[in-house]
Amino acid sequence: MSFLTDNVHRHLLPLYVLGTDINKIQEPMSRPNGYPNYQISICLEGEGIYIDENNIKYKIEMGDLFFFSPNVPHRYISVSENWRLPFIVFNGKCAADIVKYLEFGSSMVLKGISKDNFNTLITSFTNIYDTYFSNIPTKTERVSAMLYHMLVFISEIADDSSIAGPTSVMQYLAPALQYISSHIAEKNIKVEDVANVLQISTGRLSFLFNKAFNKTPVQVIREHKLEYAKHLLMTRPYMKMTDITEAAGFKSLSYFSTVFKKTYGVSPTEYKSSRNHNADDWW
């Protein structure tokens, strides 16, 4: 990998490329402390495994893309003889803000990219590579602009990648929601476990939950717990409040009561009383 020569002006740019290669045959890589810059890699040949900061494994095949931010632990290794993995390493004065605005998260894996979008990405990679190694006096500025447009394009296709097949985000998220429901009694449902159901990164899951519900995964998990608790309050009038707390996976009765009242405006006891004037009617 080659790097741009020192250029004081480069560090004034919102984005700048530090290195790129479109013919990279990937060797095993393990970075327990992460890497100091941003990186985008796209698979052109073969296949490998990418392991993100949450130790979630992703099979990376031709047409798949993965991204990680600085200082985010990760590993990747080839599982075929030749794993061709073009990459772009970048940073910049506004890189963190741009990545955050585009909702890439600390890391991201995109699968199921359409053929047309994949070809467009490869063209972008090639143009950046050719310009990066050219003798054009303004190549640093040109590559910066090209990188920004490519990042925006990746953000635009993120809605369609990894959702190849289902006709809506809600359909795609259904297995994740089912996982939450089936593990409702657990006091600590991990966001990375929910993401792993769909084989996507936690950043990608957050993007999709925000798109579908305008909520974070943690908020959706808590909402499911509250709705289940509310169901029990309505249909099991003789069930003890401590048992409802346990069944809905809240860590304590006091926390459950606080969150319930904040969400619905009444305490669990008040809600139960208002819904069960005649408990015998439920049996």
Side-chain angles (χ1 to χ4, degrees):
M1 180 174 68
S2 300
F3 290 93
L4 290 173
T5 57
D6 288 337
N7 185 336
V8 294
H9 299 296
R10 181 183 69 188
H11 296 283
L12 300 176
L13 292 170
L15 292 170
Y16 55 82
V17 173
L18 284 162
T20 181
D21 193 338
I22 59 173
N23 298 302
K24 177 70 173 180
I25 301 300
Q26 188 61 52
E27 68 277 1
M29 185 67 64
S30 178
R31 295 172 174 145
N33 297 314
Y35 186 65
N37 301 295
Y38 299 88
Q39 181 171 316
I40 297 173
S41 298
I42 191 167
C43 183
L44 264 182
E45 180 184 348
E47 61 184 57
I49 299 294
Y50 172 71
I51 306 172
D52 71 9
E53 68 272 27
N54 296 308
N55 208 36
I56 297 176
K57 296 180 180 180
Y58 303 90
K59 187 177 182 180
I60 305 297
E61 304 169 287
M62 181 176 176
D64 297 341
L65 175 150
F66 64 88
F67 158 87
F68 52 80
S69 295
N71 307 316
V72 174
H74 60 270
R75 290 174 286 159
Y76 43 102
I77 184 171
S78 171
V79 295
S80 62
E81 184 175 354
N82 289 316
W83 190 26
R84 188 176 171 197
L85 204 65
F87 67 87
I88 296 173
V89 175
F90 68 95
N91 216 311
K93 186 177 180 181
C94 300
D97 289 335
I98 291 171
V99 167
K100 182 179 180 180
Y101 179 78
L102 296 176
E103 299 183 303
F104 281 17
S106 58
S107 64
M108 176 175 65
V109 175
L110 296 185
K111 299 181 68 66
I113 299 173
S114 71
K115 183 177 180 180
D116 287 345
N117 287 337
F118 177 70
N119 288 337
T120 299
L121 281 174
I122 293 303
T123 298
S124 295
F125 264 77
T126 303
N127 289 340
I128 288 174
Y129 176 86
D130 289 343
T131 305
Y132 178 85
F133 288 106
S134 74
N135 294 318
I136 300 172
T138 58
K139 66 179 182 179
T140 302
E141 292 80 3
R142 291 193 184 195
V143 166
S144 175
M146 294 161 69
L147 173 61
Y148 176 75
H149 286 291
M150 188 179 76
L151 293 177
V152 172
F153 180 70
I154 291 173
S155 176
E156 290 173 345
I157 67 173
D159 283 348
D160 299 322
S161 67
S162 79
I163 310 182
T167 59
S168 71
V169 175
M170 285 299 298
Q171 283 180 291
Y172 179 72
L173 290 176
L177 299 176
Q178 179 58 44
Y179 177 89
I180 294 171
S181 296
S182 62
H183 291 75
I184 204 74
E186 294 182 11
K187 291 182 173 61
N188 184 28
I189 299 176
K190 296 180 179 179
V191 173
E192 50 263 36
D193 289 340
V194 180
N196 199 30
V197 173
L198 301 175
Q199 280 295 289
I200 59 176
S201 65
T202 54
R204 177 66 174 154
L205 183 73
S206 295
F207 172 81
L208 293 172
F209 270 46
N210 184 67
K211 182 180 177 66
F213 310 111
N214 197 30
K215 294 181 176 70
T216 66
V218 171
Q219 289 172 325
V220 172
I221 291 169
R222 185 170 61 238
E223 185 177 81
H224 272 61
K225 288 177 174 291
L226 286 168
E227 286 298 312
Y228 182 62
K230 191 165 69 169
H231 167 75
L232 293 177
L233 289 167
M234 291 175 62
T235 61
R236 300 290 186 270
Y238 298 119
M239 193 172 183
K240 293 180 179 179
M241 203 63 70
T242 51
D243 292 338
I244 291 176
T245 300
E246 190 72 20
F250 287 97
K251 58 185 180 183
S252 68
L253 176 56
S254 60
Y255 175 72
F256 166 53
S257 298
T258 299
V259 174
F260 192 96
K261 186 167 185 177
K262 184 177 180 180
T263 303
Y264 300 116
V266 295
S267 70
T269 301
E270 291 169 336
Y271 181 85
K272 182 177 181 179
S273 177
S274 68
R275 295 288 174 168
N276 297 300
H277 296 296
N278 186 353
D280 291 337
D281 290 344
W282 296 105
W283 300 91

